[in-house]
């Protein structure tokens, strides 16, 4: 979406930056991985198709995407390419509730998994969604075999609401009650949001 096109969110371990054309080649290389295709239920695209998808998502107000950068690597390189480790997304696809968002995360670089960057990125995205996009419910659809993601979302306080044997997928949910809002905001106090940096 255009709303976050010039937004950066700085945390202790990661930085969120909007998904731009400069990120596409690295992202395209990630998505050649059969493991990532399976974990994200994605089909491989050509590089040309990947550029078209990036542009489509940038213009779509129902999709919010950030690339996740490793903060230490960014400090070393001052680059947005080398520090790329994954992405985090919101999809506003609930016809009955325009304020409900499906949230998903991918840590593509295996060396950065299990080190807290994904968790911080999710808190940052949930904070952004509540504060700037008026999200009142988050859902996450996760493959039944993706134990790391299921564990992570459980730690965040998501609860299982359904399970699909056909798609081998679990749907988790977090309603943004006052308690949930306070919980997210407490974990987002250290974040620094900057607009118009580009």
């Amino acid at each position: 979406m255009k709303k976050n096109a010039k937004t950066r969110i700085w945390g202790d371990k990661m930085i969120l930056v909007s998904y731009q054309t400069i990120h596409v080649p690295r992202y395209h290389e990630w998505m050649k991985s059969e493991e990532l295709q399976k974990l994200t239920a994605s089909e491989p695209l050509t590089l040309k198709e990947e550029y078209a998808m990036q542009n489509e998502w940038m213009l779509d107000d129902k999709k919010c995407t950030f690339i996740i950068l490793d903060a230490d690597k960014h400090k070393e390189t001052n680059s947005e390419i080398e520090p790329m480790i994954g992405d985090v997304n919101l999809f506003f696809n609930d016809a009955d509730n325009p304020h409900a968002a499906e949230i998903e995360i991918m840590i593509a670089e295996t060396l950065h998994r299990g080190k807290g960057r994904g968790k911080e990125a999710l808190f940052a995205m949930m904070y952004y969604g509540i504060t700037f996009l008026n999200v009142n419910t988050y859902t996450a659809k996760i493959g039944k075999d993706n134990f790391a993601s299921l564990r992570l979302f459980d730690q965040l306080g998501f609860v299982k609401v359904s399970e699909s044997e056909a798609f081998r997928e679990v749907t988790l949910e977090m309603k943004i009650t006052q308690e949930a809002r306070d919980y997210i905001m407490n974990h987002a106090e250290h974040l620094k949001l900057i607009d118009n940096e580009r």
Side-chain angles (χ1 to χ4, degrees), residues 154-169:
D154 179 67
Q155 290 172 355
L156 293 178
F158 281 69
V159 296
K160 184 168 80 172
V161 292
S162 66
E163 188 170 328
S164 169
E165 284 299 331
F167 293 103
R168 294 195 53 76
E169 189 176 72

Side-chain angles (χ1 to χ4, degrees), residues 41-144:
S42 301
E43 295 292 327
L45 301 177
T46 66
L47 182 58
K48 184 178 180 180
E49 289 171 334
E50 207 77 75
Y51 275 110
M53 182 74 75
Q54 182 275 330
N55 185 63
E56 178 187 320
W57 283 30
M58 180 62 71
L59 299 175
D60 190 339
D61 286 339
K62 292 187 177 182
K63 296 181 175 73
C64 180
T65 298
F66 285 101
I67 293 293
I68 307 169
L69 308 181
D70 174 67
D72 291 336
K73 191 71 172 177
H74 181 268
K75 187 176 181 180
E76 289 175 17
T77 64
N78 198 31
S79 163
E80 287 192 15
I81 309 304
E82 290 179 56
M84 288 173 62
I85 62 171
D87 72 339
V88 61
N89 308 288
L90 294 180
F91 302 108
F92 293 86
N93 49 20
D94 188 331
D96 297 323
N97 181 4
H99 300 294
E102 181 181 341
I103 188 167
E104 67 174 31
I105 188 167
M106 174 182 74
I107 301 298
E109 298 292 336
T110 56
L111 290 176
H112 292 278
R113 294 177 186 170
K115 296 183 177 179
R117 289 166 179 79
K119 188 173 185 178
E120 188 176 40
L122 282 170
F123 273 121
M125 182 58 114
M126 289 193 293
Y127 156 76
Y128 184 81
I130 293 169
T131 306
F132 298 97
L133 303 176
N134 300 313
V135 175
N136 64 21
T137 304
Y138 286 110
T139 60
K141 296 179 179 179
I142 302 171
K144 291 177 68 174

Side-chain angles (χ1 to χ4, degrees), residues 34-42 105-107 113 141-143 145-147 149:
E34 291 184 7
E35 179 207 12
L36 292 178
Q37 290 171 23
K38 181 180 178 182
L39 289 175
T40 60
S42 301
I105 188 167
M106 174 182 74
I107 301 298
R113 294 177 186 170
K141 296 179 179 179
I142 302 171
D145 298 328
N146 191 346
F147 302 114
S149 285

